[in-house]
Amino acid sequence: MNLKSQTLPELTALFREMGEPGFRAKQVYTWLHKGVRSYDEMTNLPQTLRQKLAQQYPICPPEVVRKQQSQKDGTIKYLWRLSDGNCVETVLMRYHYGNTVCISTEVGCRMGCAFCASTLGGLVRRLEAYEMLDQVLFTQVDSGLPVSHIVLMGIGEPLDNFDNVMRFLELVNSPEGMNISMRHISLSTCGLVPKIDLLAEKKLQLTLSVSLHAPNDEIRNQIMPVNKAYPIQELLDACRRYYQATSRRISFEYAMINGVNDTPEAAKELLRRLKGLPAHFNLIPLNHVEESPLKPSTKKAVAQFQKILEDGGVPATVRRTLGGDIDASCGQLRRKYTRTNP
Ligand code: SAH
């Protein structure tokens, strides 16, 4: 067990069992959520307690394996080594409204999307709550930049690691911890319908991003195997239920793939299917993945697609390419590194 995965009430109960007063739990919680690397940094704790904790509950912070910084827009990408030797990626993006960290939720992914680098080696394992929190904490510590926003859009499918992700959200949102507002958090899913319903029940104020990438089953089945389990109509019905439960507008991700999903007909079909559902579209020119024959749409096709959606009353933005000189998308660095350093 890692202490950093425990909520403050859980930590307090644990400390009581160890015969320590409750306020010690709060002190330790506060230190851990500052991103200390050792109990020796917890200077207001008795030496004996520091030693005991270090022995029973090692902190195990991740190590930086690679750090790439864009000269163009300051985007920083980290490859971390976790305590068991597995690697994950985190990206820090600098926006006018604040610094946003894009975190991984799993080592690899089992969803099999045809355009995505993170899924090529399959799922290795799910991340613990503290391993997600560590990505935020140590990105902030290493970069010296305060993090105000989080997106769960790195390696992995967050809703396929549901309990650990919920725990992470509670930790990062806690007032005694990083205190990051749910409204500053986006969770992205490929469309696990039962888990979207489960998330809706929690009535969190985060933004649900749905990776739609197609207007119908015919196209979606070709690029996203998950669509065979949860076809597009079921997914959009779940999005409507999610909106009804939370009053939060859904954000749809749409990777623009040349000749596959980027025609004017596709945009018009989307408009028909989304009628009455408050939504926003994020059009992402496809990042090319070495092993994949899929190519990004032309600028003209993207602009035309965007115009059709907007004219139909659905706001659509084209995501600016971040860190153009370092490739800010996730998945490739971990794979490259894992291939050369097994
Ligand atoms: N599993 C989650 C979150 C991780 S992927 C999900 O599917 O939403 C984060 C986003 O990047 C998703 O919208 C995903 O479809 C998209 N993505 C993956 N590979 C991409 C690529 N090569 N080009 C553009 N977007 C990509």
Side-chain angles (χ1 to χ4, degrees), residues 111 113 152-153 156-160 186-193 195-196 199 207-213 220 224 226 235 239 250-253:
M111 295 301 142
C113 299
L152 283 74
M153 290 189 183
E157 166 52 46
L159 296 187
D160 197 34
S186 293
L187 184 153
S188 183
T189 180
C190 64
L192 301 179
V193 166
K195 298 292 168 61
I196 292 175
L199 184 67
T207 299
L208 179 65
S209 277
V210 173
S211 301
L212 197 58
H213 304 326
R220 205 162 189 266
M224 299 182 74
V226 69
L235 174 57
C239 291
I250 309 283
S251 171
F252 288 103
E253 306 283 303

PDB file of all heavy atoms in Angstrom, residues 111 113 152-153 156-160 186-193 195-196 199 207-213 220 224 226 235 239 250-253:
ATOM      1  N   MET A 111      -7.716  -0.890 -25.668  1.00  0.00           N
ATOM      2  CA  MET A 111      -8.882  -0.499 -26.454  1.00  0.00           C
ATOM      3  C   MET A 111      -8.683  -0.651 -27.967  1.00  0.00           C
ATOM      4  O   MET A 111      -9.644  -0.732 -28.719  1.00  0.00           O
ATOM      5  CB  MET A 111      -9.294   0.931 -26.111  1.00  0.00           C
ATOM      6  CG  MET A 111      -9.775   1.077 -24.674  1.00  0.00           C
ATOM      7  SD  MET A 111     -11.209   0.011 -24.346  1.00  0.00           S
ATOM      8  CE  MET A 111     -10.895  -0.544 -22.685  1.00  0.00           C
ATOM      9  N   CYS A 113      -7.644   1.252 -30.576  1.00  0.00           N
ATOM     10  CA  CYS A 113      -7.973   2.241 -31.623  1.00  0.00           C
ATOM     11  C   CYS A 113      -6.884   2.235 -32.704  1.00  0.00           C
ATOM     12  O   CYS A 113      -5.690   2.238 -32.394  1.00  0.00           O
ATOM     13  CB  CYS A 113      -8.112   3.638 -31.025  1.00  0.00           C
ATOM     14  SG  CYS A 113      -9.428   3.757 -29.790  1.00  0.00           S
ATOM     15  N   LEU A 152      -7.230  13.970 -18.412  1.00  0.00           N
ATOM     16  CA  LEU A 152      -6.906  12.538 -18.400  1.00  0.00           C
ATOM     17  C   LEU A 152      -6.989  12.064 -19.841  1.00  0.00           C
ATOM     18  O   LEU A 152      -7.990  11.505 -20.282  1.00  0.00           O
ATOM     19  CB  LEU A 152      -7.869  11.766 -17.484  1.00  0.00           C
ATOM     20  CG  LEU A 152      -7.600  11.898 -15.979  1.00  0.00           C
ATOM     21  CD1 LEU A 152      -8.016  13.268 -15.461  1.00  0.00           C
ATOM     22  CD2 LEU A 152      -8.309  10.826 -15.180  1.00  0.00           C
ATOM     23  N   MET A 153      -5.927  12.389 -20.590  1.00  0.00           N
ATOM     24  CA  MET A 153      -5.909  12.135 -22.031  1.00  0.00           C
ATOM     25  C   MET A 153      -4.572  11.571 -22.481  1.00  0.00           C
ATOM     26  O   MET A 153      -4.241  11.607 -23.663  1.00  0.00           O
ATOM     27  CB  MET A 153      -6.151  13.435 -22.809  1.00  0.00           C
ATOM     28  CG  MET A 153      -7.546  13.976 -22.692  1.00  0.00           C
ATOM     29  SD  MET A 153      -7.783  15.338 -23.842  1.00  0.00           S
ATOM     30  CE  MET A 153      -9.454  15.827 -23.414  1.00  0.00           C
ATOM     31  N   GLY A 156      -3.710   5.269 -21.974  1.00  0.00           N
ATOM     32  CA  GLY A 156      -4.677   4.481 -21.206  1.00  0.00           C
ATOM     33  C   GLY A 156      -6.106   4.965 -21.331  1.00  0.00           C
ATOM     34  O   GLY A 156      -6.374   6.055 -21.826  1.00  0.00           O
ATOM     35  N   GLU A 157      -7.033   4.111 -20.882  1.00  0.00           N
ATOM     36  CA  GLU A 157      -8.461   4.444 -20.906  1.00  0.00           C
ATOM     37  C   GLU A 157      -8.910   4.643 -19.448  1.00  0.00           C
ATOM     38  O   GLU A 157      -9.032   3.676 -18.689  1.00  0.00           O
ATOM     39  CB  GLU A 157      -9.229   3.299 -21.590  1.00  0.00           C
ATOM     40  CG  GLU A 157     -10.736   3.321 -21.411  1.00  0.00           C
ATOM     41  CD  GLU A 157     -11.400   4.640 -21.779  1.00  0.00           C
ATOM     42  OE1 GLU A 157     -11.103   5.214 -22.840  1.00  0.00           O
ATOM     43  OE2 GLU A 157     -12.231   5.104 -20.968  1.00  0.00           O
ATOM     44  N   PRO A 158      -9.163   5.906 -19.053  1.00  0.00           N
ATOM     45  CA  PRO A 158      -9.479   6.195 -17.645  1.00  0.00           C
ATOM     46  C   PRO A 158     -10.650   5.380 -17.099  1.00  0.00           C
ATOM     47  O   PRO A 158     -10.605   4.917 -15.964  1.00  0.00           O
ATOM     48  CB  PRO A 158      -9.828   7.685 -17.641  1.00  0.00           C
ATOM     49  CG  PRO A 158      -9.294   8.241 -18.907  1.00  0.00           C
ATOM     50  CD  PRO A 158      -9.134   7.123 -19.881  1.00  0.00           C
ATOM     51  N   LEU A 159     -11.682   5.177 -17.919  1.00  0.00           N
ATOM     52  CA  LEU A 159     -12.861   4.472 -17.392  1.00  0.00           C
ATOM     53  C   LEU A 159     -12.646   2.960 -17.323  1.00  0.00           C
ATOM     54  O   LEU A 159     -13.460   2.241 -16.748  1.00  0.00           O
ATOM     55  CB  LEU A 159     -14.111   4.816 -18.214  1.00  0.00           C
ATOM     56  CG  LEU A 159     -14.551   6.287 -18.160  1.00  0.00           C
ATOM     57  CD1 LEU A 159     -15.892   6.466 -18.868  1.00  0.00           C
ATOM     58  CD2 LEU A 159     -14.623   6.808 -16.727  1.00  0.00           C
ATOM     59  N   ASP A 160     -11.528   2.479 -17.875  1.00  0.00           N
ATOM     60  CA  ASP A 160     -11.161   1.070 -17.738  1.00  0.00           C
ATOM     61  C   ASP A 160     -10.350   0.859 -16.451  1.00  0.00           C
ATOM     62  O   ASP A 160      -9.938  -0.255 -16.131  1.00  0.00           O
ATOM     63  CB  ASP A 160     -10.345   0.637 -18.962  1.00  0.00           C
ATOM     64  CG  ASP A 160     -10.275  -0.881 -19.107  1.00  0.00           C
ATOM     65  OD1 ASP A 160     -11.273  -1.551 -18.746  1.00  0.00           O
ATOM     66  OD2 ASP A 160      -9.243  -1.391 -19.574  1.00  0.00           O
ATOM     67  N   SER A 186     -10.643  17.463 -17.110  1.00  0.00           N
ATOM     68  CA  SER A 186     -11.354  16.773 -18.198  1.00  0.00           C
ATOM     69  C   SER A 186     -10.964  15.311 -18.210  1.00  0.00           C
ATOM     70  O   SER A 186      -9.787  14.981 -18.106  1.00  0.00           O
ATOM     71  CB  SER A 186     -11.001  17.360 -19.564  1.00  0.00           C
ATOM     72  OG  SER A 186     -11.485  18.663 -19.677  1.00  0.00           O
ATOM     73  N   LEU A 187     -11.977  14.471 -18.346  1.00  0.00           N
ATOM     74  CA  LEU A 187     -11.722  13.029 -18.434  1.00  0.00           C
ATOM     75  C   LEU A 187     -12.163  12.555 -19.813  1.00  0.00           C
ATOM     76  O   LEU A 187     -13.288  12.814 -20.235  1.00  0.00           O
ATOM     77  CB  LEU A 187     -12.515  12.316 -17.332  1.00  0.00           C
ATOM     78  CG  LEU A 187     -12.331  10.802 -17.178  1.00  0.00           C
ATOM     79  CD1 LEU A 187     -12.620  10.399 -15.738  1.00  0.00           C
ATOM     80  CD2 LEU A 187     -13.207  10.002 -18.126  1.00  0.00           C
ATOM     81  N   SER A 188     -11.256  11.895 -20.513  1.00  0.00           N
ATOM     82  CA  SER A 188     -11.536  11.481 -21.883  1.00  0.00           C
ATOM     83  C   SER A 188     -11.751   9.975 -21.962  1.00  0.00           C
ATOM     84  O   SER A 188     -10.992   9.198 -21.391  1.00  0.00           O
ATOM     85  CB  SER A 188     -10.356  11.897 -22.776  1.00  0.00           C
ATOM     86  OG  SER A 188     -10.608  11.570 -24.114  1.00  0.00           O
ATOM     87  N   THR A 189     -12.792   9.559 -22.674  1.00  0.00           N
ATOM     88  CA  THR A 189     -13.062   8.125 -22.822  1.00  0.00           C
ATOM     89  C   THR A 189     -13.354   7.763 -24.268  1.00  0.00           C
ATOM     90  O   THR A 189     -13.905   8.564 -25.023  1.00  0.00           O
ATOM     91  CB  THR A 189     -14.247   7.682 -21.936  1.00  0.00           C
ATOM     92  OG1 THR A 189     -14.463   6.273 -22.138  1.00  0.00           O
ATOM     93  CG2 THR A 189     -15.530   8.431 -22.271  1.00  0.00           C
ATOM     94  N   CYS A 190     -13.008   6.514 -24.619  1.00  0.00           N
ATOM     95  CA  CYS A 190     -13.321   6.018 -25.959  1.00  0.00           C
ATOM     96  C   CYS A 190     -14.780   5.576 -26.042  1.00  0.00           C
ATOM     97  O   CYS A 190     -15.273   5.256 -27.119  1.00  0.00           O
ATOM     98  CB  CYS A 190     -12.383   4.884 -26.335  1.00  0.00           C
ATOM     99  SG  CYS A 190     -12.573   3.443 -25.281  1.00  0.00           S
ATOM    100  N   GLY A 191     -15.485   5.536 -24.885  1.00  0.00           N
ATOM    101  CA  GLY A 191     -16.919   5.247 -24.933  1.00  0.00           C
ATOM    102  C   GLY A 191     -17.359   3.969 -24.246  1.00  0.00           C
ATOM    103  O   GLY A 191     -18.095   3.170 -24.831  1.00  0.00           O
ATOM    104  N   LEU A 192     -16.932   3.754 -22.997  1.00  0.00           N
ATOM    105  CA  LEU A 192     -17.385   2.593 -22.226  1.00  0.00           C
ATOM    106  C   LEU A 192     -18.722   2.954 -21.564  1.00  0.00           C
ATOM    107  O   LEU A 192     -18.769   3.563 -20.496  1.00  0.00           O
ATOM    108  CB  LEU A 192     -16.335   2.205 -21.176  1.00  0.00           C
ATOM    109  CG  LEU A 192     -14.951   1.851 -21.738  1.00  0.00           C
ATOM    110  CD1 LEU A 192     -13.970   1.515 -20.629  1.00  0.00           C
ATOM    111  CD2 LEU A 192     -15.041   0.704 -22.733  1.00  0.00           C
ATOM    112  N   VAL A 193     -19.808   2.583 -22.232  1.00  0.00           N
ATOM    113  CA  VAL A 193     -21.145   3.051 -21.857  1.00  0.00           C
ATOM    114  C   VAL A 193     -21.526   2.802 -20.380  1.00  0.00           C
ATOM    115  O   VAL A 193     -21.940   3.724 -19.687  1.00  0.00           O
ATOM    116  CB  VAL A 193     -22.203   2.490 -22.833  1.00  0.00           C
ATOM    117  CG1 VAL A 193     -23.613   2.672 -22.302  1.00  0.00           C
ATOM    118  CG2 VAL A 193     -22.049   3.175 -24.194  1.00  0.00           C
ATOM    119  N   LYS A 195     -19.720   2.522 -17.835  1.00  0.00           N
ATOM    120  CA  LYS A 195     -18.882   3.344 -16.953  1.00  0.00           C
ATOM    121  C   LYS A 195     -19.261   4.822 -17.071  1.00  0.00           C
ATOM    122  O   LYS A 195     -19.128   5.577 -16.111  1.00  0.00           O
ATOM    123  CB  LYS A 195     -17.394   3.137 -17.275  1.00  0.00           C
ATOM    124  CG  LYS A 195     -16.923   1.721 -17.057  1.00  0.00           C
ATOM    125  CD  LYS A 195     -16.926   1.375 -15.567  1.00  0.00           C
ATOM    126  CE  LYS A 195     -16.735  -0.097 -15.274  1.00  0.00           C
ATOM    127  NZ  LYS A 195     -15.485  -0.656 -15.746  1.00  0.00           N
ATOM    128  N   ILE A 196     -19.739   5.243 -18.226  1.00  0.00           N
ATOM    129  CA  ILE A 196     -20.219   6.628 -18.366  1.00  0.00           C
ATOM    130  C   ILE A 196     -21.434   6.810 -17.454  1.00  0.00           C
ATOM    131  O   ILE A 196     -21.564   7.826 -16.756  1.00  0.00           O
ATOM    132  CB  ILE A 196     -20.562   6.951 -19.841  1.00  0.00           C
ATOM    133  CG1 ILE A 196     -19.278   6.978 -20.679  1.00  0.00           C
ATOM    134  CG2 ILE A 196     -21.304   8.287 -19.956  1.00  0.00           C
ATOM    135  CD1 ILE A 196     -19.497   7.175 -22.177  1.00  0.00           C
ATOM    136  N   LEU A 199     -20.222   7.031 -13.912  1.00  0.00           N
ATOM    137  CA  LEU A 199     -19.633   8.351 -13.670  1.00  0.00           C
ATOM    138  C   LEU A 199     -20.726   9.401 -13.494  1.00  0.00           C
ATOM    139  O   LEU A 199     -20.631  10.275 -12.625  1.00  0.00           O
ATOM    140  CB  LEU A 199     -18.718   8.720 -14.846  1.00  0.00           C
ATOM    141  CG  LEU A 199     -17.935  10.026 -14.716  1.00  0.00           C
ATOM    142  CD1 LEU A 199     -16.898   9.932 -13.594  1.00  0.00           C
ATOM    143  CD2 LEU A 199     -17.233  10.380 -16.030  1.00  0.00           C
ATOM    144  N   THR A 207     -15.338  17.862 -16.855  1.00  0.00           N
ATOM    145  CA  THR A 207     -15.799  17.796 -18.239  1.00  0.00           C
ATOM    146  C   THR A 207     -15.574  16.394 -18.777  1.00  0.00           C
ATOM    147  O   THR A 207     -14.465  15.861 -18.681  1.00  0.00           O
ATOM    148  CB  THR A 207     -15.024  18.808 -19.118  1.00  0.00           C
ATOM    149  OG1 THR A 207     -15.272  20.117 -18.617  1.00  0.00           O
ATOM    150  CG2 THR A 207     -15.471  18.733 -20.574  1.00  0.00           C
ATOM    151  N   LEU A 208     -16.639  15.798 -19.302  1.00  0.00           N
ATOM    152  CA  LEU A 208     -16.492  14.490 -19.943  1.00  0.00           C
ATOM    153  C   LEU A 208     -16.177  14.716 -21.418  1.00  0.00           C
ATOM    154  O   LEU A 208     -16.918  15.392 -22.132  1.00  0.00           O
ATOM    155  CB  LEU A 208     -17.784  13.680 -19.800  1.00  0.00           C
ATOM    156  CG  LEU A 208     -17.744  12.296 -20.453  1.00  0.00           C
ATOM    157  CD1 LEU A 208     -16.730  11.386 -19.772  1.00  0.00           C
ATOM    158  CD2 LEU A 208     -19.123  11.650 -20.449  1.00  0.00           C
ATOM    159  N   SER A 209     -15.041  14.169 -21.842  1.00  0.00           N
ATOM    160  CA  SER A 209     -14.658  14.214 -23.261  1.00  0.00           C
ATOM    161  C   SER A 209     -14.910  12.845 -23.846  1.00  0.00           C
ATOM    162  O   SER A 209     -14.463  11.849 -23.279  1.00  0.00           O
ATOM    163  CB  SER A 209     -13.166  14.492 -23.401  1.00  0.00           C
ATOM    164  OG  SER A 209     -12.893  15.840 -23.313  1.00  0.00           O
ATOM    165  N   VAL A 210     -15.587  12.789 -24.951  1.00  0.00           N
ATOM    166  CA  VAL A 210     -15.842  11.498 -25.585  1.00  0.00           C
ATOM    167  C   VAL A 210     -15.121  11.457 -26.926  1.00  0.00           C
ATOM    168  O   VAL A 210     -15.312  12.337 -27.768  1.00  0.00           O
ATOM    169  CB  VAL A 210     -17.362  11.263 -25.747  1.00  0.00           C
ATOM    170  CG1 VAL A 210     -17.627  10.004 -26.563  1.00  0.00           C
ATOM    171  CG2 VAL A 210     -18.029  11.153 -24.375  1.00  0.00           C
ATOM    172  N   SER A 211     -14.278  10.454 -27.091  1.00  0.00           N
ATOM    173  CA  SER A 211     -13.538  10.301 -28.351  1.00  0.00           C
ATOM    174  C   SER A 211     -14.468   9.658 -29.363  1.00  0.00           C
ATOM    175  O   SER A 211     -14.610   8.453 -29.411  1.00  0.00           O
ATOM    176  CB  SER A 211     -12.295   9.437 -28.116  1.00  0.00           C
ATOM    177  OG  SER A 211     -11.476  10.047 -27.147  1.00  0.00           O
ATOM    178  N   LEU A 212     -15.095  10.489 -30.165  1.00  0.00           N
ATOM    179  CA  LEU A 212     -16.132   9.999 -31.080  1.00  0.00           C
ATOM    180  C   LEU A 212     -15.519   9.538 -32.411  1.00  0.00           C
ATOM    181  O   LEU A 212     -15.685   8.405 -32.820  1.00  0.00           O
ATOM    182  CB  LEU A 212     -17.185  11.088 -31.287  1.00  0.00           C
ATOM    183  CG  LEU A 212     -18.523  10.635 -31.863  1.00  0.00           C
ATOM    184  CD1 LEU A 212     -19.175   9.569 -31.003  1.00  0.00           C
ATOM    185  CD2 LEU A 212     -19.475  11.824 -32.021  1.00  0.00           C
ATOM    186  N   HIS A 213     -14.838  10.446 -33.085  1.00  0.00           N
ATOM    187  CA  HIS A 213     -14.027  10.138 -34.264  1.00  0.00           C
ATOM    188  C   HIS A 213     -14.787   9.583 -35.478  1.00  0.00           C
ATOM    189  O   HIS A 213     -14.149   9.224 -36.482  1.00  0.00           O
ATOM    190  CB  HIS A 213     -12.893   9.161 -33.932  1.00  0.00           C
ATOM    191  CG  HIS A 213     -11.978   9.609 -32.832  1.00  0.00           C
ATOM    192  ND1 HIS A 213     -11.646  10.919 -32.612  1.00  0.00           N
ATOM    193  CD2 HIS A 213     -11.333   8.897 -31.864  1.00  0.00           C
ATOM    194  CE1 HIS A 213     -10.823  11.003 -31.575  1.00  0.00           C
ATOM    195  NE2 HIS A 213     -10.631   9.801 -31.100  1.00  0.00           N
ATOM    196  N   ARG A 220     -16.977   4.006 -37.511  1.00  0.00           N
ATOM    197  CA  ARG A 220     -16.403   3.862 -36.164  1.00  0.00           C
ATOM    198  C   ARG A 220     -15.890   2.439 -35.919  1.00  0.00           C
ATOM    199  O   ARG A 220     -14.853   2.243 -35.285  1.00  0.00           O
ATOM    200  CB  ARG A 220     -17.442   4.270 -35.102  1.00  0.00           C
ATOM    201  CG  ARG A 220     -16.808   4.726 -33.789  1.00  0.00           C
ATOM    202  CD  ARG A 220     -17.769   5.515 -32.915  1.00  0.00           C
ATOM    203  NE  ARG A 220     -17.065   6.111 -31.778  1.00  0.00           N
ATOM    204  CZ  ARG A 220     -16.977   5.547 -30.577  1.00  0.00           C
ATOM    205  NH1 ARG A 220     -17.560   4.404 -30.329  1.00  0.00           N
ATOM    206  NH2 ARG A 220     -16.297   6.149 -29.611  1.00  0.00           N
ATOM    207  N   MET A 224     -12.324   2.009 -34.300  1.00  0.00           N
ATOM    208  CA  MET A 224     -12.421   1.846 -32.840  1.00  0.00           C
ATOM    209  C   MET A 224     -13.169   0.551 -32.489  1.00  0.00           C
ATOM    210  O   MET A 224     -14.393   0.506 -32.489  1.00  0.00           O
ATOM    211  CB  MET A 224     -13.142   3.054 -32.230  1.00  0.00           C
ATOM    212  CG  MET A 224     -12.416   4.367 -32.471  1.00  0.00           C
ATOM    213  SD  MET A 224     -13.246   5.788 -31.693  1.00  0.00           S
ATOM    214  CE  MET A 224     -12.848   5.538 -29.960  1.00  0.00           C
ATOM    215  N   VAL A 226     -13.924  -0.702 -29.787  1.00  0.00           N
ATOM    216  CA  VAL A 226     -14.868  -0.547 -28.673  1.00  0.00           C
ATOM    217  C   VAL A 226     -16.288  -0.320 -29.184  1.00  0.00           C
ATOM    218  O   VAL A 226     -17.272  -0.636 -28.515  1.00  0.00           O
ATOM    219  CB  VAL A 226     -14.435   0.620 -27.737  1.00  0.00           C
ATOM    220  CG1 VAL A 226     -14.587   1.970 -28.423  1.00  0.00           C
ATOM    221  CG2 VAL A 226     -15.232   0.617 -26.438  1.00  0.00           C
ATOM    222  N   LEU A 235     -23.833   4.883 -27.285  1.00  0.00           N
ATOM    223  CA  LEU A 235     -22.885   5.841 -26.714  1.00  0.00           C
ATOM    224  C   LEU A 235     -23.529   7.231 -26.613  1.00  0.00           C
ATOM    225  O   LEU A 235     -23.454   7.892 -25.566  1.00  0.00           O
ATOM    226  CB  LEU A 235     -21.614   5.888 -27.574  1.00  0.00           C
ATOM    227  CG  LEU A 235     -20.575   6.941 -27.218  1.00  0.00           C
ATOM    228  CD1 LEU A 235     -20.113   6.812 -25.769  1.00  0.00           C
ATOM    229  CD2 LEU A 235     -19.366   6.852 -28.154  1.00  0.00           C
ATOM    230  N   CYS A 239     -24.443   9.653 -23.460  1.00  0.00           N
ATOM    231  CA  CYS A 239     -24.035  11.067 -23.360  1.00  0.00           C
ATOM    232  C   CYS A 239     -25.231  11.932 -22.976  1.00  0.00           C
ATOM    233  O   CYS A 239     -25.115  12.860 -22.171  1.00  0.00           O
ATOM    234  CB  CYS A 239     -23.448  11.555 -24.684  1.00  0.00           C
ATOM    235  SG  CYS A 239     -21.860  10.809 -25.071  1.00  0.00           S
ATOM    236  N   ILE A 250     -21.166  18.020 -23.089  1.00  0.00           N
ATOM    237  CA  ILE A 250     -20.175  17.003 -23.475  1.00  0.00           C
ATOM    238  C   ILE A 250     -19.190  17.601 -24.481  1.00  0.00           C
ATOM    239  O   ILE A 250     -19.573  18.377 -25.357  1.00  0.00           O
ATOM    240  CB  ILE A 250     -20.856  15.785 -24.149  1.00  0.00           C
ATOM    241  CG1 ILE A 250     -22.017  15.250 -23.313  1.00  0.00           C
ATOM    242  CG2 ILE A 250     -19.835  14.697 -24.466  1.00  0.00           C
ATOM    243  CD1 ILE A 250     -21.660  14.433 -22.126  1.00  0.00           C
ATOM    244  N   SER A 251     -17.936  17.238 -24.316  1.00  0.00           N
ATOM    245  CA  SER A 251     -16.930  17.658 -25.275  1.00  0.00           C
ATOM    246  C   SER A 251     -16.553  16.447 -26.132  1.00  0.00           C
ATOM    247  O   SER A 251     -16.193  15.407 -25.591  1.00  0.00           O
ATOM    248  CB  SER A 251     -15.721  18.186 -24.488  1.00  0.00           C
ATOM    249  OG  SER A 251     -14.646  18.405 -25.330  1.00  0.00           O
ATOM    250  N   PHE A 252     -16.712  16.554 -27.438  1.00  0.00           N
ATOM    251  CA  PHE A 252     -16.373  15.429 -28.317  1.00  0.00           C
ATOM    252  C   PHE A 252     -15.017  15.649 -28.977  1.00  0.00           C
ATOM    253  O   PHE A 252     -14.755  16.719 -29.519  1.00  0.00           O
ATOM    254  CB  PHE A 252     -17.444  15.251 -29.400  1.00  0.00           C
ATOM    255  CG  PHE A 252     -18.739  14.697 -28.867  1.00  0.00           C
ATOM    256  CD1 PHE A 252     -19.833  15.529 -28.669  1.00  0.00           C
ATOM    257  CD2 PHE A 252     -18.854  13.351 -28.543  1.00  0.00           C
ATOM    258  CE1 PHE A 252     -21.035  15.026 -28.165  1.00  0.00           C
ATOM    259  CE2 PHE A 252     -20.044  12.844 -28.041  1.00  0.00           C
ATOM    260  CZ  PHE A 252     -21.134  13.676 -27.848  1.00  0.00           C
ATOM    261  N   GLU A 253     -14.187  14.620 -28.904  1.00  0.00           N
ATOM    262  CA  GLU A 253     -12.902  14.649 -29.591  1.00  0.00           C
ATOM    263  C   GLU A 253     -13.102  14.002 -30.970  1.00  0.00           C
ATOM    264  O   GLU A 253     -13.780  12.971 -31.077  1.00  0.00           O
ATOM    265  CB  GLU A 253     -11.853  13.838 -28.834  1.00  0.00           C
ATOM    266  CG  GLU A 253     -11.664  14.216 -27.380  1.00  0.00           C
ATOM    267  CD  GLU A 253     -10.855  15.474 -27.213  1.00  0.00           C
ATOM    268  OE1 GLU A 253      -9.719  15.522 -27.704  1.00  0.00           O
ATOM    269  OE2 GLU A 253     -11.382  16.425 -26.605  1.00  0.00           O
TER     270      GLU A 253
END
